Amino acid sequence: ETLNATYDSSKELSEQREFINSFGLEGQSKELFELCKQVELISHKDSTVLIRGASGTGKSDLAKAIARTSKRK
């Protein structure tokens, strides 16, 4: 049973990492996974997005991820 739980957890982490990588982002934190789910929702909207944050926090990477997945071209 412990082995199955470990396999399921490993598989879930692998799927999360793939999902994050599909946006051109790298990492494996739960926060980044949740952010990518928001990017997925945002990218289907026809609206402007304001990204705020301190210098060096990845705002431009996030903007690229939104643009890359956006239906709006």
Side-chain angles (χ1 to χ4, degrees):
E1 189 172 307
T2 306
L3 186 57
N4 285 340
T6 302
Y7 173 76
D8 290 344
S9 177
S10 176
K11 185 177 177 185
E12 183 180 340
L13 286 174
S14 178
E15 289 171 357
Q16 286 181 359
R17 195 174 306 119
E18 265 186 56
F19 181 69
I20 291 169
N21 290 342
S22 73
F23 292 93
L25 301 172
E26 293 184 25
Q28 55 188 14
S29 70
K30 184 72 174 171
E31 294 81 7
L32 184 56
F33 177 69
E34 294 300 323
L35 182 63
C36 286
K37 289 192 327 189
Q38 290 180 5
V39 167
E40 186 174 46
L41 293 173
I42 290 168
S43 66
H44 298 294
K45 307 283 184 202
D46 186 23
S47 61
T48 302
V49 177
L50 174 64
I51 302 171
R52 296 175 44 183
S55 179
T57 57
K59 295 179 300 294
S60 63
D61 293 332
L62 183 59
K64 288 175 190 172
I66 294 170
R68 199 176 291 121
T69 57
S70 177
K71 303 286 185 225
R72 193 174 148 185
K73 300 287 180 197

